[in-house]
Amino acid sequence: MKQLLWAERRKLRHSKIVWIAVFAVVMIAIIVFAEGQFVFKGSRYIDGAGWFMTAAQSLATFFVLPAVIALLGSYMICREEQEDTLKSLRLVPVDEAKLTVVKMIVAMVFSILIYLLLFVITFAVEAIMHFGTLSIQTVWGFLFTYFVNGIGVFLAISPIVALVARIKKGYWLALVFTEIYSFAGLFASMSETLKTVYPITAVFQLSGYYEATIGNKAASLVVLIVCMVLAVLISQGLIPRSLLRKKLFCKVKR
């Protein structure tokens, strides 16, 4: 397992998708900072301590980062077959099920790191602008929120990553499906019930971005666990590939 993790980490160092993700995080920070220049009731949005770190989360999660994380995760799983190196790995031999698990673990770590990178950038700006008004408790609260968002977003999109990798239809599909999936979270957030059970907004319930009762948080946790279990079932081949293709393309035709 350690050798597989080391190998996957080495592969990511040469992947352009990592730099795409970093660029996406920087652009999110720039866009949110620009939005913060708008004036409301005589003051700019960004003049409020904590506004930047709060606003960056929603823009990142509803529009950008889930799709980027899904792209990287499905790319990692599909690359051996698309680059025709899977046959060589089977001769070693390498346990394909274990290899898939390792890739999913690396993708989850990547998700956490990407959200922490966004936290570092937003915190740096907040510290420069509001150093005297930011308490340690507030900073730790935001750090916890970003960390949970990194884990939760990966769990929420993991079934899509596993599905695209399983049906072998190209990892760019993961980006398209996840973009639609995460954007729909905007509409789910308008309903108290959907906000709890829709995976993307369930992440915000758990992280503390939304105010939620213990019961709502428990329900959101169950939703994300179901997503993780579904991803495991798909990735380990416990759901036949033919059934996945049939269901997916029947929906598309309709």
Side-chain angles (χ1 to χ4, degrees):
M1 182 71 78
K2 290 183 179 180
Q3 291 180 338
L4 292 175
L5 285 170
W6 176 83
E8 290 303 320
R9 184 181 65 84
R10 293 280 295 178
K11 291 176 185 176
L12 277 183
R13 290 176 59 183
H14 305 287
S15 174
K16 293 180 181 179
I17 295 179
V18 174
W19 294 109
I20 292 174
V22 173
F23 175 76
V25 170
V26 173
M27 288 304 299
I28 289 167
I30 292 173
I31 292 170
V32 176
F33 185 82
E35 288 179 351
Q37 306 308 310
F38 288 102
V39 177
F40 180 72
K41 292 185 178 180
S43 62
R44 299 179 303 171
Y45 288 116
I46 203 164
D47 290 334
W51 180 89
F52 191 36
M53 287 191 285
T54 301
Q57 294 180 63
S58 59
L59 178 67
T61 303
F62 287 132
F63 296 101
V64 183
L65 292 189
V68 172
I69 295 165
L71 175 63
L72 179 124
S74 56
Y75 166 74
M76 289 172 57
I77 296 173
C78 293
R79 65 182 299 176
E80 275 83 10
E81 182 161 332
Q82 294 195 352
E83 295 174 4
D84 203 27
T85 58
L86 187 59
K87 295 176 182 177
S88 300
L89 290 174
R90 286 169 177 165
L91 295 174
V92 173
V94 171
D95 188 333
E96 289 187 49
K98 185 182 291 186
L99 183 61
T100 300
V101 170
V102 167
K103 290 175 183 291
M104 295 291 276
I105 292 173
V106 173
M108 183 175 70
V109 172
F110 174 82
S111 176
I112 295 171
L113 292 177
I114 283 296
Y115 269 91
L116 291 182
L117 174 61
L118 182 61
F119 167 78
V120 169
I121 294 173
T122 54
F123 169 68
V125 174
E126 291 276 5
I128 293 171
M129 299 186 67
H130 312 290
F131 184 78
T133 55
L134 281 177
S135 66
I136 295 177
Q137 184 178 2
T138 299
V139 174
W140 278 108
F142 275 111
L143 177 59
F144 174 79
T145 301
Y146 274 84
F147 181 79
V148 174
N149 284 342
I151 297 174
V153 165
F154 173 77
L155 294 180
I157 67 171
S158 58
I160 296 178
V161 174
L163 176 63
V164 171
R166 187 70 183 158
I167 63 176
K168 307 296 182 184
K169 286 292 181 180
Y171 47 82
W172 287 100
L173 278 178
L175 185 145
V176 176
F177 291 160
T178 308
E179 187 63 35
I180 297 170
Y181 175 58
S182 58
F183 180 73
L186 278 174
F187 302 97
S189 66
M190 299 175 186
S191 166
E192 288 299 323
T193 302
L194 288 178
K195 186 189 295 185
T196 301
V197 299
Y198 192 76
I200 293 295
T201 49
V203 175
F204 283 154
Q205 295 269 69
L206 281 178
S207 68
Y209 181 83
Y210 292 149
E211 292 185 5
T213 64
I214 295 177
N216 287 341
K217 288 186 176 182
S220 297
L221 179 60
V222 170
V223 168
L224 295 179
I225 291 174
V226 169
C227 289
M228 180 183 66
V229 171
L230 183 60
V232 171
L233 292 175
I234 295 172
S235 63
Q236 297 301 306
L238 299 177
I239 299 179
R241 187 185 302 180
S242 58
L243 180 62
L244 292 174
R245 284 180 174 175
K246 183 177 180 181
K247 286 187 175 182
L248 178 65
F249 291 108
C250 279
K251 290 181 180 180
V252 172
K253 287 180 181 178
R254 290 178 185 177

mmCIF file of all heavy atoms in Angstrom, residues 19-58:
data_model
loop_
_atom_site.group_PDB
_atom_site.id
_atom_site.type_symbol
_atom_site.label_atom_id
_atom_site.label_comp_id
_atom_site.label_asym_id
_atom_site.label_seq_id
_atom_site.Cartn_x
_atom_site.Cartn_y
_atom_site.Cartn_z
ATOM 1 N N TRP A 19 -1.662 21.680 -11.596
ATOM 2 C CA TRP A 19 -1.454 23.111 -11.831
ATOM 3 C C TRP A 19 -2.745 23.793 -12.256
ATOM 4 O O TRP A 19 -2.960 24.976 -11.953
ATOM 5 C CB TRP A 19 -0.347 23.320 -12.869
ATOM 6 C CG TRP A 19 0.977 22.857 -12.367
ATOM 7 C CD1 TRP A 19 1.685 21.770 -12.772
ATOM 8 C CD2 TRP A 19 1.741 23.460 -11.312
ATOM 9 N NE1 TRP A 19 2.846 21.650 -12.049
ATOM 10 C CE2 TRP A 19 2.917 22.674 -11.156
ATOM 11 C CE3 TRP A 19 1.566 24.581 -10.505
ATOM 12 C CZ2 TRP A 19 3.885 22.980 -10.211
ATOM 13 C CZ3 TRP A 19 2.530 24.892 -9.565
ATOM 14 C CH2 TRP A 19 3.679 24.097 -9.429
ATOM 15 N N ILE A 20 -3.610 23.066 -12.945
ATOM 16 C CA ILE A 20 -4.928 23.607 -13.292
ATOM 17 C C ILE A 20 -5.719 23.893 -12.014
ATOM 18 O O ILE A 20 -6.378 24.932 -11.885
ATOM 19 C CB ILE A 20 -5.702 22.630 -14.202
ATOM 20 C CG1 ILE A 20 -5.041 22.544 -15.577
ATOM 21 C CG2 ILE A 20 -7.160 23.053 -14.337
ATOM 22 C CD1 ILE A 20 -5.648 21.484 -16.488
ATOM 23 N N ALA A 21 -5.629 22.955 -11.067
ATOM 24 C CA ALA A 21 -6.337 23.121 -9.798
ATOM 25 C C ALA A 21 -5.798 24.320 -9.016
ATOM 26 O O ALA A 21 -6.568 25.112 -8.460
ATOM 27 C CB ALA A 21 -6.208 21.848 -8.963
ATOM 28 N N VAL A 22 -4.482 24.468 -8.977
ATOM 29 C CA VAL A 22 -3.872 25.607 -8.280
ATOM 30 C C VAL A 22 -4.298 26.915 -8.940
ATOM 31 O O VAL A 22 -4.641 27.895 -8.261
ATOM 32 C CB VAL A 22 -2.337 25.475 -8.271
ATOM 33 C CG1 VAL A 22 -1.692 26.743 -7.708
ATOM 34 C CG2 VAL A 22 -1.903 24.257 -7.455
ATOM 35 N N PHE A 23 -4.281 26.938 -10.266
ATOM 36 C CA PHE A 23 -4.717 28.127 -11.003
ATOM 37 C C PHE A 23 -6.176 28.446 -10.691
ATOM 38 O O PHE A 23 -6.544 29.622 -10.518
ATOM 39 C CB PHE A 23 -4.536 27.892 -12.503
ATOM 40 C CG PHE A 23 -5.055 29.011 -13.370
ATOM 41 C CD1 PHE A 23 -4.351 30.200 -13.495
ATOM 42 C CD2 PHE A 23 -6.266 28.871 -14.051
ATOM 43 C CE1 PHE A 23 -4.837 31.242 -14.286
ATOM 44 C CE2 PHE A 23 -6.753 29.900 -14.846
ATOM 45 C CZ PHE A 23 -6.039 31.094 -14.961
ATOM 46 N N ALA A 24 -7.018 27.398 -10.606
ATOM 47 C CA ALA A 24 -8.435 27.593 -10.305
ATOM 48 C C ALA A 24 -8.612 28.223 -8.922
ATOM 49 O O ALA A 24 -9.444 29.123 -8.744
ATOM 50 C CB ALA A 24 -9.171 26.258 -10.381
ATOM 51 N N VAL A 25 -7.833 27.766 -7.948
ATOM 52 C CA VAL A 25 -7.926 28.322 -6.589
ATOM 53 C C VAL A 25 -7.533 29.795 -6.582
ATOM 54 O O VAL A 25 -8.205 30.630 -5.957
ATOM 55 C CB VAL A 25 -7.026 27.519 -5.629
ATOM 56 C CG1 VAL A 25 -6.912 28.218 -4.283
ATOM 57 C CG2 VAL A 25 -7.580 26.116 -5.426
ATOM 58 N N VAL A 26 -6.458 30.123 -7.266
ATOM 59 C CA VAL A 26 -6.001 31.513 -7.328
ATOM 60 C C VAL A 26 -7.064 32.396 -7.996
ATOM 61 O O VAL A 26 -7.353 33.505 -7.530
ATOM 62 C CB VAL A 26 -4.660 31.620 -8.081
ATOM 63 C CG1 VAL A 26 -4.276 33.078 -8.300
ATOM 64 C CG2 VAL A 26 -3.559 30.889 -7.316
ATOM 65 N N MET A 27 -7.666 31.898 -9.079
ATOM 66 C CA MET A 27 -8.690 32.663 -9.778
ATOM 67 C C MET A 27 -9.921 32.858 -8.908
ATOM 68 O O MET A 27 -10.564 33.926 -8.948
ATOM 69 C CB MET A 27 -9.072 31.961 -11.084
ATOM 70 C CG MET A 27 -8.007 32.038 -12.164
ATOM 71 S SD MET A 27 -7.529 33.745 -12.552
ATOM 72 C CE MET A 27 -9.077 34.428 -13.130
ATOM 73 N N ILE A 28 -10.279 31.845 -8.127
ATOM 74 C CA ILE A 28 -11.412 31.987 -7.201
ATOM 75 C C ILE A 28 -11.149 33.133 -6.230
ATOM 76 O O ILE A 28 -12.007 33.982 -5.995
ATOM 77 C CB ILE A 28 -11.640 30.673 -6.423
ATOM 78 C CG1 ILE A 28 -12.195 29.586 -7.339
ATOM 79 C CG2 ILE A 28 -12.611 30.901 -5.254
ATOM 80 C CD1 ILE A 28 -12.142 28.203 -6.736
ATOM 81 N N ALA A 29 -9.947 33.133 -5.668
ATOM 82 C CA ALA A 29 -9.582 34.180 -4.711
ATOM 83 C C ALA A 29 -9.644 35.564 -5.358
ATOM 84 O O ALA A 29 -10.149 36.526 -4.753
ATOM 85 C CB ALA A 29 -8.189 33.909 -4.145
ATOM 86 N N ILE A 30 -9.163 35.671 -6.577
ATOM 87 C CA ILE A 30 -9.167 36.962 -7.276
ATOM 88 C C ILE A 30 -10.595 37.426 -7.561
ATOM 89 O O ILE A 30 -10.938 38.595 -7.354
ATOM 90 C CB ILE A 30 -8.361 36.858 -8.592
ATOM 91 C CG1 ILE A 30 -6.873 36.650 -8.292
ATOM 92 C CG2 ILE A 30 -8.563 38.106 -9.448
ATOM 93 C CD1 ILE A 30 -6.036 36.374 -9.521
ATOM 94 N N ILE A 31 -11.435 36.504 -8.030
ATOM 95 C CA ILE A 31 -12.830 36.860 -8.360
ATOM 96 C C ILE A 31 -13.594 37.295 -7.118
ATOM 97 O O ILE A 31 -14.316 38.298 -7.132
ATOM 98 C CB ILE A 31 -13.537 35.673 -9.055
ATOM 99 C CG1 ILE A 31 -12.925 35.434 -10.437
ATOM 100 C CG2 ILE A 31 -15.034 35.938 -9.171
ATOM 101 C CD1 ILE A 31 -13.383 34.144 -11.094
ATOM 102 N N VAL A 32 -13.435 36.536 -6.027
ATOM 103 C CA VAL A 32 -14.138 36.885 -4.789
ATOM 104 C C VAL A 32 -13.626 38.222 -4.247
ATOM 105 O O VAL A 32 -14.406 39.041 -3.753
ATOM 106 C CB VAL A 32 -13.971 35.772 -3.732
ATOM 107 C CG1 VAL A 32 -14.610 36.186 -2.410
ATOM 108 C CG2 VAL A 32 -14.600 34.478 -4.225
ATOM 109 N N PHE A 33 -12.322 38.431 -4.346
ATOM 110 C CA PHE A 33 -11.754 39.708 -3.894
ATOM 111 C C PHE A 33 -12.338 40.863 -4.706
ATOM 112 O O PHE A 33 -12.651 41.926 -4.155
ATOM 113 C CB PHE A 33 -10.231 39.684 -4.029
ATOM 114 C CG PHE A 33 -9.551 40.902 -3.482
ATOM 115 C CD1 PHE A 33 -9.285 41.019 -2.123
ATOM 116 C CD2 PHE A 33 -9.181 41.949 -4.326
ATOM 117 C CE1 PHE A 33 -8.669 42.156 -1.617
ATOM 118 C CE2 PHE A 33 -8.560 43.089 -3.824
ATOM 119 C CZ PHE A 33 -8.306 43.187 -2.466
ATOM 120 N N ALA A 34 -12.492 40.656 -6.011
ATOM 121 C CA ALA A 34 -13.089 41.693 -6.870
ATOM 122 C C ALA A 34 -14.545 41.939 -6.480
ATOM 123 O O ALA A 34 -15.005 43.097 -6.451
ATOM 124 C CB ALA A 34 -12.981 41.274 -8.332
ATOM 125 N N GLU A 35 -15.280 40.873 -6.169
ATOM 126 C CA GLU A 35 -16.667 41.034 -5.739
ATOM 127 C C GLU A 35 -16.748 41.809 -4.429
ATOM 128 O O GLU A 35 -17.707 42.549 -4.196
ATOM 129 C CB GLU A 35 -17.321 39.656 -5.554
ATOM 130 C CG GLU A 35 -17.608 38.917 -6.853
ATOM 131 C CD GLU A 35 -18.241 37.557 -6.612
ATOM 132 O OE1 GLU A 35 -18.288 37.141 -5.430
ATOM 133 O OE2 GLU A 35 -18.670 36.923 -7.581
ATOM 134 N N GLY A 36 -15.739 41.629 -3.607
ATOM 135 C CA GLY A 36 -15.732 42.304 -2.317
ATOM 136 C C GLY A 36 -15.576 43.809 -2.398
ATOM 137 O O GLY A 36 -15.758 44.518 -1.391
ATOM 138 N N GLN A 37 -15.259 44.329 -3.590
ATOM 139 C CA GLN A 37 -15.089 45.775 -3.754
ATOM 140 C C GLN A 37 -16.429 46.500 -3.904
ATOM 141 O O GLN A 37 -16.471 47.727 -3.835
ATOM 142 C CB GLN A 37 -14.208 46.067 -4.979
ATOM 143 C CG GLN A 37 -12.867 45.353 -4.976
ATOM 144 C CD GLN A 37 -12.082 45.558 -3.699
ATOM 145 O OE1 GLN A 37 -11.909 46.689 -3.251
ATOM 146 N NE2 GLN A 37 -11.610 44.466 -3.113
ATOM 147 N N PHE A 38 -17.507 45.730 -4.124
ATOM 148 C CA PHE A 38 -18.819 46.370 -4.242
ATOM 149 C C PHE A 38 -19.221 46.990 -2.903
ATOM 150 O O PHE A 38 -18.970 46.418 -1.838
ATOM 151 C CB PHE A 38 -19.873 45.363 -4.692
ATOM 152 C CG PHE A 38 -19.743 44.954 -6.134
ATOM 153 C CD1 PHE A 38 -19.168 43.741 -6.470
ATOM 154 C CD2 PHE A 38 -20.192 45.777 -7.147
ATOM 155 C CE1 PHE A 38 -19.037 43.356 -7.799
ATOM 156 C CE2 PHE A 38 -20.075 45.414 -8.484
ATOM 157 C CZ PHE A 38 -19.484 44.200 -8.802
ATOM 158 N N VAL A 39 -19.862 48.133 -2.982
ATOM 159 C CA VAL A 39 -20.239 48.864 -1.774
ATOM 160 C C VAL A 39 -21.689 48.567 -1.401
ATOM 161 O O VAL A 39 -22.583 48.558 -2.253
ATOM 162 C CB VAL A 39 -20.064 50.388 -1.997
ATOM 163 C CG1 VAL A 39 -20.525 51.160 -0.761
ATOM 164 C CG2 VAL A 39 -18.608 50.708 -2.315
ATOM 165 N N PHE A 40 -21.897 48.280 -0.113
ATOM 166 C CA PHE A 40 -23.246 48.017 0.397
ATOM 167 C C PHE A 40 -23.408 48.787 1.710
ATOM 168 O O PHE A 40 -22.639 48.590 2.657
ATOM 169 C CB PHE A 40 -23.452 46.519 0.634
ATOM 170 C CG PHE A 40 -24.807 46.168 1.165
ATOM 171 C CD1 PHE A 40 -25.926 46.250 0.363
ATOM 172 C CD2 PHE A 40 -24.964 45.773 2.493
ATOM 173 C CE1 PHE A 40 -27.186 45.933 0.850
ATOM 174 C CE2 PHE A 40 -26.215 45.448 2.993
ATOM 175 C CZ PHE A 40 -27.333 45.522 2.165
ATOM 176 N N LYS A 41 -24.391 49.686 1.739
ATOM 177 C CA LYS A 41 -24.657 50.525 2.909
ATOM 178 C C LYS A 41 -23.414 51.295 3.352
ATOM 179 O O LYS A 41 -23.060 51.347 4.543
ATOM 180 C CB LYS A 41 -25.176 49.664 4.060
ATOM 181 C CG LYS A 41 -26.560 49.086 3.799
ATOM 182 C CD LYS A 41 -27.081 48.343 5.007
ATOM 183 C CE LYS A 41 -28.487 47.816 4.741
ATOM 184 N NZ LYS A 41 -29.040 47.068 5.913
ATOM 185 N N GLY A 42 -22.704 51.828 2.374
ATOM 186 C CA GLY A 42 -21.594 52.714 2.679
ATOM 187 C C GLY A 42 -20.248 52.057 2.916
ATOM 188 O O GLY A 42 -19.256 52.748 3.163
ATOM 189 N N SER A 43 -20.181 50.728 2.835
ATOM 190 C CA SER A 43 -18.893 50.050 3.039
ATOM 191 C C SER A 43 -18.773 48.877 2.067
ATOM 192 O O SER A 43 -19.775 48.314 1.617
ATOM 193 C CB SER A 43 -18.762 49.551 4.479
ATOM 194 O OG SER A 43 -19.761 48.593 4.771
ATOM 195 N N ARG A 44 -17.548 48.527 1.766
ATOM 196 C CA ARG A 44 -17.312 47.397 0.879
ATOM 197 C C ARG A 44 -17.555 46.082 1.621
ATOM 198 O O ARG A 44 -17.356 45.989 2.831
ATOM 199 C CB ARG A 44 -15.874 47.417 0.348
ATOM 200 C CG ARG A 44 -15.514 48.632 -0.467
ATOM 201 C CD ARG A 44 -14.062 48.564 -0.911
ATOM 202 N NE ARG A 44 -13.151 48.422 0.231
ATOM 203 C CZ ARG A 44 -11.860 48.165 0.118
ATOM 204 N NH1 ARG A 44 -11.320 48.008 -1.073
ATOM 205 N NH2 ARG A 44 -11.109 48.056 1.201
ATOM 206 N N TYR A 45 -17.956 45.046 0.853
ATOM 207 C CA TYR A 45 -18.162 43.732 1.459
ATOM 208 C C TYR A 45 -16.892 43.240 2.138
ATOM 209 O O TYR A 45 -16.921 42.695 3.245
ATOM 210 C CB TYR A 45 -18.575 42.715 0.384
ATOM 211 C CG TYR A 45 -19.983 42.904 -0.137
ATOM 212 C CD1 TYR A 45 -20.215 43.235 -1.465
ATOM 213 C CD2 TYR A 45 -21.076 42.737 0.704
ATOM 214 C CE1 TYR A 45 -21.505 43.404 -1.946
ATOM 215 C CE2 TYR A 45 -22.372 42.897 0.228
ATOM 216 C CZ TYR A 45 -22.579 43.226 -1.100
ATOM 217 O OH TYR A 45 -23.860 43.400 -1.573
ATOM 218 N N ILE A 46 -15.756 43.435 1.472
ATOM 219 C CA ILE A 46 -14.506 42.875 1.970
ATOM 220 C C ILE A 46 -14.004 43.589 3.211
ATOM 221 O O ILE A 46 -13.083 43.103 3.897
ATOM 222 C CB ILE A 46 -13.430 42.895 0.851
ATOM 223 C CG1 ILE A 46 -12.355 41.845 1.137
ATOM 224 C CG2 ILE A 46 -12.827 44.290 0.696
ATOM 225 C CD1 ILE A 46 -11.491 41.532 -0.034
ATOM 226 N N ASP A 47 -14.607 44.741 3.547
ATOM 227 C CA ASP A 47 -14.219 45.448 4.763
ATOM 228 C C ASP A 47 -14.692 44.738 6.025
ATOM 229 O O ASP A 47 -14.212 45.032 7.122
ATOM 230 C CB ASP A 47 -14.771 46.881 4.747
ATOM 231 C CG ASP A 47 -14.064 47.754 3.712
ATOM 232 O OD1 ASP A 47 -12.900 47.442 3.395
ATOM 233 O OD2 ASP A 47 -14.682 48.713 3.207
ATOM 234 N N GLY A 48 -15.625 43.806 5.856
ATOM 235 C CA GLY A 48 -16.093 43.031 7.001
ATOM 236 C C GLY A 48 -15.142 41.878 7.286
ATOM 237 O O GLY A 48 -14.840 41.076 6.400
ATOM 238 N N ALA A 49 -14.654 41.790 8.506
ATOM 239 C CA ALA A 49 -13.717 40.721 8.869
ATOM 240 C C ALA A 49 -14.373 39.354 8.699
ATOM 241 O O ALA A 49 -15.469 39.109 9.211
ATOM 242 C CB ALA A 49 -13.255 40.901 10.314
ATOM 243 N N GLY A 50 -13.724 38.469 7.960
ATOM 244 C CA GLY A 50 -14.240 37.122 7.748
ATOM 245 C C GLY A 50 -15.061 36.960 6.486
ATOM 246 O O GLY A 50 -15.348 35.830 6.066
ATOM 247 N N TRP A 51 -15.452 38.093 5.870
ATOM 248 C CA TRP A 51 -16.297 37.987 4.670
ATOM 249 C C TRP A 51 -15.571 37.243 3.550
ATOM 250 O O TRP A 51 -16.164 36.396 2.882
ATOM 251 C CB TRP A 51 -16.681 39.385 4.176
ATOM 252 C CG TRP A 51 -17.541 39.348 2.938
ATOM 253 C CD1 TRP A 51 -18.902 39.280 2.901
ATOM 254 C CD2 TRP A 51 -17.085 39.319 1.578
ATOM 255 N NE1 TRP A 51 -19.328 39.224 1.587
ATOM 256 C CE2 TRP A 51 -18.233 39.241 0.762
ATOM 257 C CE3 TRP A 51 -15.831 39.358 0.974
ATOM 258 C CZ2 TRP A 51 -18.166 39.201 -0.620
ATOM 259 C CZ3 TRP A 51 -15.752 39.317 -0.411
ATOM 260 C CH2 TRP A 51 -16.904 39.244 -1.202
ATOM 261 N N PHE A 52 -14.310 37.536 3.341
ATOM 262 C CA PHE A 52 -13.558 36.935 2.245
ATOM 263 C C PHE A 52 -13.454 35.423 2.409
ATOM 264 O O PHE A 52 -13.672 34.658 1.465
ATOM 265 C CB PHE A 52 -12.167 37.572 2.189
ATOM 266 C CG PHE A 52 -11.379 37.240 0.941
ATOM 267 C CD1 PHE A 52 -12.002 37.101 -0.291
ATOM 268 C CD2 PHE A 52 -10.008 37.084 1.000
ATOM 269 C CE1 PHE A 52 -11.278 36.808 -1.443
ATOM 270 C CE2 PHE A 52 -9.274 36.788 -0.142
ATOM 271 C CZ PHE A 52 -9.905 36.650 -1.356
ATOM 272 N N MET A 53 -13.130 34.977 3.620
ATOM 273 C CA MET A 53 -13.007 33.539 3.867
ATOM 274 C C MET A 53 -14.351 32.831 3.765
ATOM 275 O O MET A 53 -14.423 31.666 3.388
ATOM 276 C CB MET A 53 -12.376 33.285 5.240
ATOM 277 C CG MET A 53 -10.892 33.595 5.303
ATOM 278 S SD MET A 53 -10.087 33.015 6.824
ATOM 279 C CE MET A 53 -10.687 34.219 7.991
ATOM 280 N N THR A 54 -15.417 33.543 4.068
ATOM 281 C CA THR A 54 -16.758 32.949 3.969
ATOM 282 C C THR A 54 -17.221 32.861 2.521
ATOM 283 O O THR A 54 -17.677 31.807 2.062
ATOM 284 C CB THR A 54 -17.764 33.789 4.787
ATOM 285 O OG1 THR A 54 -17.355 33.832 6.143
ATOM 286 C CG2 THR A 54 -19.161 33.187 4.702
ATOM 287 N N ALA A 55 -17.094 33.966 1.796
ATOM 288 C CA ALA A 55 -17.596 34.022 0.422
ATOM 289 C C ALA A 55 -16.836 33.092 -0.513
ATOM 290 O O ALA A 55 -17.419 32.522 -1.448
ATOM 291 C CB ALA A 55 -17.522 35.457 -0.094
ATOM 292 N N ALA A 56 -15.541 32.915 -0.286
ATOM 293 C CA ALA A 56 -14.732 32.072 -1.175
ATOM 294 C C ALA A 56 -15.201 30.622 -1.152
ATOM 295 O O ALA A 56 -15.114 29.904 -2.159
ATOM 296 C CB ALA A 56 -13.264 32.152 -0.774
ATOM 297 N N GLN A 57 -15.736 30.165 -0.030
ATOM 298 C CA GLN A 57 -16.177 28.774 0.087
ATOM 299 C C GLN A 57 -17.336 28.463 -0.848
ATOM 300 O O GLN A 57 -17.335 27.430 -1.525
ATOM 301 C CB GLN A 57 -16.602 28.472 1.523
ATOM 302 C CG GLN A 57 -15.492 28.530 2.534
ATOM 303 C CD GLN A 57 -15.992 28.223 3.924
ATOM 304 O OE1 GLN A 57 -16.467 27.134 4.210
ATOM 305 N NE2 GLN A 57 -15.903 29.208 4.805
ATOM 306 N N SER A 58 -18.318 29.338 -0.874
ATOM 307 C CA SER A 58 -19.502 29.065 -1.697
ATOM 308 C C SER A 58 -19.170 29.106 -3.182
ATOM 309 O O SER A 58 -19.594 28.224 -3.942
ATOM 310 C CB SER A 58 -20.620 30.066 -1.370
ATOM 311 O OG SER A 58 -20.172 31.394 -1.598
#
